[in-house]
Amino acid sequence: MTAIFEKIAVGLGALLICAVAAANELHPIVAAQDGSLFGATGDGKWIKAEEAAKTIADETTYRIYGLTQSLGEAKGGKPKSADAECPNTLVVSLSSTPEKAVIGIAAPWNALPRKPRVIDPTQKVYIDLVRDFLKTKGIDQPKVKIDNIVRVDLDGDGEEEVLISATNYFSKDDRVPMRSLAGSYSMALPRRVVAGKVETQLVEGEFHPKAYVRKEDSFDAPNAYKVIATLDLDGDGKLEVVVASSYYEGERFTIYRCEPKKIEALLSVFCGA
């Protein structure tokens, strides 16, 4: 009988060790096109890149995702410092990067449990919505230019949110200028139902009612913001929102948790001057 209890104890101990190991396992996240390391998730926490890099092994398998679909898998190497322009950015070299790839994550779950739908950005209801929002930011006669609109159920409650990316810097080639013009702007907006009412929120954005006037010790480099992915990056069933922000000398990617009453930046990676 004693031997039986000893075997049971050993078995339970092994299960406990496995459970602890699983709970402590980190799941690294990278920007798929250049391999920049955001950091990782694990045990309900968001781990910054410097700490996460210590645990990432060579030949780690990443699942690759675009805005609306899974794009297969790729192998990644150990994180290394980027080039001289971005020495503080850690980069993972991926074996393949499909054209529409946005995010790679080394995790066993499906990070795209609910597929986003890209819808017509010229619909009057959304143009009016963006125009009204811009007026609250001091742009009295806004020229509305919506880049894309995505519909997706972020929190799995059966109610779809609408994510709007709108930018107008009055550039013919859609490049982000070095100086902001009067009435220019860029933003990423979620439109959702909160406590039974439809609300428009702001994830990231900037607004320029007046043109930039150069002054001593001042600097103006406007950013363009765009929602590039909605993914479950920590395995809790809810989708995080990934926003790209670019300016004339660099680019940043930020992962946000977009709760009805709070929008929070979780991890970010940047490269630029």
Side-chain angles (χ1 to χ4, degrees):
M1 184 66 70
T2 302
I4 294 175
F5 280 123
E6 287 178 350
K7 289 181 179 181
I8 292 173
V10 170
L12 290 174
L15 289 174
L16 181 59
I17 290 170
C18 291
V20 171
N24 292 332
E25 184 180 0
L26 297 187
H27 305 286
I29 305 166
V30 299
Q33 288 301 321
D34 63 2
S36 297
L37 178 65
F38 285 93
T41 60
D43 197 21
K45 298 178 181 179
W46 295 81
I47 315 299
K48 292 185 177 181
E50 295 79 5
E51 186 66 25
K54 299 174 184 178
T55 68
I56 299 174
D58 195 16
E59 292 294 301
T60 295
T61 299
Y62 292 83
R63 293 189 179 189
I64 307 299
Y65 295 90
L67 176 61
T68 62
Q69 60 186 324
S70 173
L71 297 170
E73 295 183 346
K75 294 290 186 179
K78 292 183 178 180
K80 297 180 180 179
S81 176
D83 56 31
E85 293 184 1
C86 306
N88 295 323
T89 301
L90 294 171
V91 173
V92 171
S93 178
L94 295 174
S95 60
S96 64
T97 52
E99 182 181 353
K100 295 183 179 181
V102 176
I103 295 292
I105 178 170
W109 63 84
N110 175 19
L112 196 64
R114 294 177 293 282
K115 185 176 180 179
R117 294 185 293 122
V118 178
I119 64 174
D120 181 6
T122 66
Q123 295 179 66
K124 185 177 183 299
V125 61
Y126 297 116
I127 291 174
D128 290 345
L129 183 157
V130 169
R131 180 181 293 110
D132 291 343
F133 188 86
L134 289 169
K135 288 180 179 179
T136 70
K137 298 299 181 180
I139 301 177
D140 296 330
Q141 296 181 327
K143 295 184 179 179
V144 176
K145 185 179 179 182
I146 299 176
D147 290 327
N148 74 337
I149 302 176
V150 176
R151 291 185 68 99
V152 64
D153 181 358
L154 292 176
D155 47 20
D157 64 354
E159 187 79 42
E160 285 188 325
E161 283 72 37
V162 177
L163 301 167
I164 302 171
S165 302
T167 297
N168 195 350
Y169 284 119
F170 307 103
S171 172
K172 292 182 180 180
D173 56 6
D174 288 332
R175 292 185 180 180
V176 185
M178 295 176 63
R179 300 287 182 268
S180 55
L181 301 177
S184 60
Y185 60 88
S186 184
M187 58 189 177
L189 304 174
R191 179 80 165 166
R192 70 193 312 162
V193 176
V194 180
K197 296 182 179 180
V198 179
E199 293 186 5
T200 302
Q201 302 167 318
L202 177 66
V203 179
E204 272 195 274
E206 54 186 70
F207 311 90
H208 306 280
K210 297 180 180 180
Y212 169 75
V213 178
R214 187 171 184 177
K215 299 178 182 179
E216 188 176 356
D217 297 326
S218 69
F219 178 73
D220 178 63
N223 285 271
Y225 301 92
K226 187 174 184 178
V227 174
I228 59 171
T230 56
L231 296 166
D232 176 12
L233 296 173
D234 60 356
D236 68 350
K238 297 181 180 181
L239 307 184
E240 283 74 45
V241 176
V242 185
V243 176
S245 58
S246 59
Y247 74 112
Y248 76 99
E249 283 192 324
E251 190 168 31
R252 181 186 300 275
F253 301 97
T254 305
I255 299 169
Y256 286 92
R257 176 187 289 124
C258 294
E259 299 287 352
K261 295 184 179 181
K262 183 180 181 181
I263 295 176
E264 178 185 6
L266 301 169
L267 293 175
S268 185
V269 62
F270 169 78
C271 183

